[in-house]
Structures are given as structure tokens and as C-alpha cells.
Amino acid sequence: MALSDKSRQSLIPNFLYSPSSSTNLLISRATNHSSFSAPSPVTDGSNFVVPAPSEPFGKIEMYSPRFYAACTAGGILSCGLTHMAVTPLDLVKCNMQFLLVILCCHIDPVKYKSISSGFGVLLKEQGVRGFFRGWVPTLLGYSAQGACKFGFYEFFKKYYSDIAGPEYATKYKTLIYLAGSASAEVIADVALCPMEAVKVRVQTQPGFARGLGDGLPKFVRSEGALGLYKGLVPLWGRQIPYTMMKFASFETIVEMFYKYAIPTPKNECSKSFQLGVSFAGGYVAGVLCAIVSHPADNLVSFLNNAKGASVGDAVKKLGVWGLFTRGLPLRIVMIGTLTGAQWGIYDAFKVFVGLPTTGGAAPPAAIEVAKS
């Protein structure tokens, strides 16, 4: 059934158009926000679509169900693959976080004195395969989280922009990024939490289980199904600030790159160059994310290992200084690389299906506000 002009226009968030703007003006400005130099967008009335260079999946309308599906798929690839790839770093980090809680976590303090000694011990005792212990719950858990994180971020960014209206969405765009990412992460962590609980237990308690297949049933028998969500609140405490910093800082950093450091307008840059900017912006954002979310990361790892322990127990065992610093250097390296790679993969997938890369241009409504 054909969509009315009003329904078609509703596919685009309010900050991407002005009610008084003509259709041609809308298309011109929307094209300037795209990530590649391409032929003029194909339009049908007021319907706005983004043309893919090779159109492997046909033309995707911005903020249509297919747009959100593409962002969700990009999020799965972005988070699932990258987290699985850094499993060795994550494994050593998790073990280092518990040097002060031997009684609860059963970890030998002599073994994991430093990053290098931690890798040496793993290689000596478990071989190369030991570096990827817990990779299955990592892949499944973070794939589910990535799907919700990126898909719902795009949804909530549009939703809150519609509520705010063109002028306020432009004026307070950083708040839109923060609110959209926080809302998305609340949902994403519910999807992640069970796999995260099993992953941490497998990685930090020798002999607990070989992986997800035997680890999940054993965990449920020990602590019940609800035990899989014991770490949900601390996970929110870690991931929500992390994700707010990840998205808001990335969008801002990329915009500043194109505004102050790159002389060529974004729409005139090659796709490969734009993806390089996405990785660089993601890496800087990742360093900030690691610092902001690290105390909660220590709490999550502690609670998933210490049966019946509370947040107070964690603070008492680790100390305030330990919460903020234990394993932080390694996590900065890991999260910086991880976040840079995630944005690179996510934007690469968007370019592959014909969508623009993320960030780097002020909403067209900003021009209208400046002229008014």
C-alpha cells in the first residue's frame, strides 16, 4: 500500500527537515550529510532514500524498518567480533582484578602479578587455546548486546529528536546522544547479562567449566536462573556511562575532526578515509569510556565470582583505590582498540549497504536556525 506524503516524511527525524523546506532542499542537505559522493538520491515525491553504490540490498530509506535492521546487523558484527577477538586481553584483565580477593575468587596472587606474567602463565599452563577460554559466551553475549546497543541508539536518537523538535534537537544534540545511548544500553545489558555472568565465571575460576555448554547449566544449578542477572545493576553501572561516553564523545570528536582538522568537507572525502576517521574517533572515545566505567567493571567481575557477595563486600575487599585502578592500564588499551574497531566495522557495514557513516556533520536544521 502506498504511503502518504505525511507518512513518508515521518520516516525522517524532525531535526533532518524544516516544515517550510522544499523537497529539493531536504534532499540537497541530506545528501551533504552522507558518507560518500554518489549520484543524486532517488526520490518519489517526498520519499527519501539513500542509494548504495552497488545496491547489494536495494535502496534503504533513512529511519525505515530496513534502516534499523541494517544498524542492528552492523551492531552484531561490530560488538560480537571485536569482543571475541580481544578475549585474551579480557581474560588476563579479569584475573588481575582479583588479586586482593583470593578467598572469594580462588585466584593465585603470584600468578597474575602483571600483564606480561599473566599471559606467560596462561600460555605455559593452558597453551594457545587457553587464551580464548570463554569465547563462546563472549561472542553470543556481545553480539546480542551490539544488536540492541546500535539498533536502539539509532531509534532513540530519532525518537528524542522528534520530541525536542528541530531547533532544540540541534541546540542540545549532545543531550540527544546521551539520552539515546543510555536508553539503548538499558535494553542491551539485559541481553548481555546472562552470558557475561557465565563468561566471567569460566575465565576466572579454574575448573569451573570448559565453556558455555557445561558452564551455563552448572551456573544455574548453583545459583538459580535469577543468579544470571545478579550482576545486572553493576553491569548497568558499568555499561551505561561507558555507552553514553562512547556515542556522545564519538559523535562530537568526529564532528570536530571534520570541522577543525580535516580541510576537505566530509561528503568530498573518500569512503576509506571516512572509515579511518571513524576508527580514530572511536579509539579516543574508547579511552574515555574505559576510565569512566572501570570501577563498575571491577564490581561486575567481583560479584560474578563471589557467591553471595554484595557491592559493599567488593568495596571492602578491593578498596576505593583498587576499584578505580586495578587492571585500568590494560583496560584502556583493550577498550580503546575495541571501540575504535567497533566504530570502524559498524560504519563499514553501513557504507556497504549504502548508508552514510556516523557523525561528522551538524544537522541541516542547524543551518536553518543560524539563518533565522
Side-chain angles (χ1 to χ4, degrees):
M1 183 174 67
L3 295 173
S4 66
D5 289 346
K6 184 175 181 181
S7 297
R8 287 166 175 163
Q9 191 182 50
S10 68
L11 293 173
I12 304 174
N14 285 339
F15 71 73
L16 290 178
Y17 66 84
S18 170
S20 61
S21 300
S22 67
T23 300
N24 290 336
L25 182 61
L26 164 64
I27 295 170
S28 174
R29 287 176 177 168
T31 305
N32 288 335
H33 185 62
S34 70
S35 64
F36 54 89
S37 298
S40 299
V42 180
T43 62
D44 178 13
S46 62
N47 196 12
F48 171 70
V49 297
V50 177
S54 58
E55 298 181 359
F57 300 100
K59 298 177 179 67
I60 299 178
E61 298 174 0
M62 291 295 288
Y63 305 101
S64 66
R66 292 188 68 205
F67 168 80
Y68 293 121
C71 293
T72 298
I76 292 173
L77 295 174
S78 171
C79 292
L81 296 178
T82 52
H83 275 277
M84 184 184 69
V86 297
T87 296
L89 286 172
D90 188 41
L91 199 156
V92 173
K93 174 189 70 69
C94 285
N95 282 279
M96 288 183 66
Q97 285 172 332
F98 303 109
L99 298 182
L100 299 180
V101 285
I102 316 307
L103 187 60
C104 291
C105 304
H106 314 292
I107 294 172
D108 188 344
V110 177
K111 289 183 178 181
Y112 297 94
K113 293 181 294 184
S114 65
I115 296 172
S116 58
S117 68
F119 279 112
V121 168
L122 282 175
L123 182 61
K124 180 180 179 180
E125 294 188 350
Q126 302 180 36
V128 176
R129 292 184 61 183
F131 286 118
F132 286 91
R133 192 167 75 242
W135 73 270
V136 175
T138 297
L139 175 63
L140 296 180
Y142 283 94
S143 292
Q145 186 211 39
C148 297
K149 184 198 297 277
F150 283 91
F152 279 109
Y153 171 69
E154 299 287 359
F155 171 81
F156 282 117
K157 185 167 67 170
K158 175 187 183 299
Y159 178 74
Y160 293 138
S161 297
D162 287 342
I163 292 175
E167 181 177 354
Y168 288 109
T170 302
K171 185 176 181 180
Y172 301 108
K173 58 187 175 183
T174 301
L175 293 179
I176 298 292
Y177 302 148
L178 292 171
S181 57
S183 300
E185 191 60 37
V186 169
I187 300 171
D189 288 344
V190 174
L192 168 64
C193 196
M195 294 295 102
E196 178 76 356
V198 176
K199 175 190 79 76
V200 171
R201 189 69 63 87
V202 168
Q203 288 181 336
T204 58
Q205 291 193 8
F208 173 76
R210 290 173 298 176
L212 179 65
D214 56 339
L216 179 59
K218 188 173 182 179
F219 192 107
V220 172
R221 286 195 302 269
S222 174
E223 304 195 28
L226 292 179
L228 292 168
Y229 288 93
K230 181 178 65 174
L232 180 59
V233 173
L235 189 62
W236 279 333
R238 180 187 79 185
Q239 291 296 129
I240 291 176
Y242 165 88
T243 301
M244 292 171 70
M245 180 67 74
K246 174 179 179 175
F247 283 88
S249 63
F250 173 82
E251 299 254 20
T252 302
I253 290 167
V254 170
E255 183 177 342
M256 291 176 66
F257 278 168
Y258 284 110
K259 187 174 182 180
Y260 299 109
I262 301 171
T264 306
K266 178 184 176 183
N267 63 312
E268 296 180 14
C269 296
S270 67
K271 293 189 289 292
S272 59
F273 182 85
Q274 291 181 40
L275 294 176
V277 171
S278 294
F279 176 81
Y283 195 97
V284 176
V287 173
L288 300 175
C289 292
I291 296 171
V292 167
S293 63
H294 192 65
D297 183 61
N298 276 324
L299 286 177
V300 170
S301 295
F302 183 97
L303 293 176
N304 282 330
N305 270 281
K307 184 176 181 180
S310 64
V311 173
D313 295 329
V315 175
K316 183 178 179 181
K317 290 284 186 180
L318 293 171
V320 175
W321 180 252
L323 280 175
F324 280 86
T325 62
R326 176 64 62 181
L328 180 59
L330 180 57
R331 191 160 188 266
I332 286 176
V333 174
M334 185 182 81
I335 297 299
T337 305
L338 191 75
T339 307
Q342 285 178 353
W343 278 114
I345 293 172
Y346 179 67
D347 275 350
F349 184 81
K350 289 177 72 176
V351 167
F352 174 70
V353 299
L355 293 170
T357 57
T358 310
I367 303 175
E368 290 295 320
V369 173
K371 288 183 178 180
S372 61

